[in-house]
Amino acid sequence: MAPPSLFRDPWAKREAWRKHPVFSNRAMFGSMFPGFGIAVAAFSAYVAWEKLFSTANAHDDHHGHH
C-alpha cells in the first residue's frame, strides 16, 4: 500500500478558495440583485394595503367622477 502523502494534491492549498462559501452559487445570485428581496416585500405590502383600502373606498368612486 502506498503512503498517503504520495496521492496528496500539491495544489490543494491554492485551489481551496474555489470551495469557499463566498463563491457558492447561492452567494453569487444573492448578491447579484442587492435589495431585491426588500423591494418585493415592500411592493407586496403596498399592493395588499391598496387592495384592502380600495375595496373599502370603492363605493365612493362610483359617483361619476370622470
Side-chain angles (χ1 to χ4, degrees), residues 43-61:
F43 181 73
S44 300
Y46 166 74
V47 169
W49 184 268
E50 190 70 23
K51 210 52 150 158
L52 285 172
F53 286 102
S54 69
T55 56
N57 296 331
H59 302 293
D60 296 338
D61 292 339

Side-chain angles (χ1 to χ4, degrees), residues 18-29:
R18 295 179 191 262
K19 293 178 179 56
H20 195 275
V22 171
F23 299 106
S24 69
N25 283 338
R26 180 180 173 137
M28 292 291 198
F29 286 121

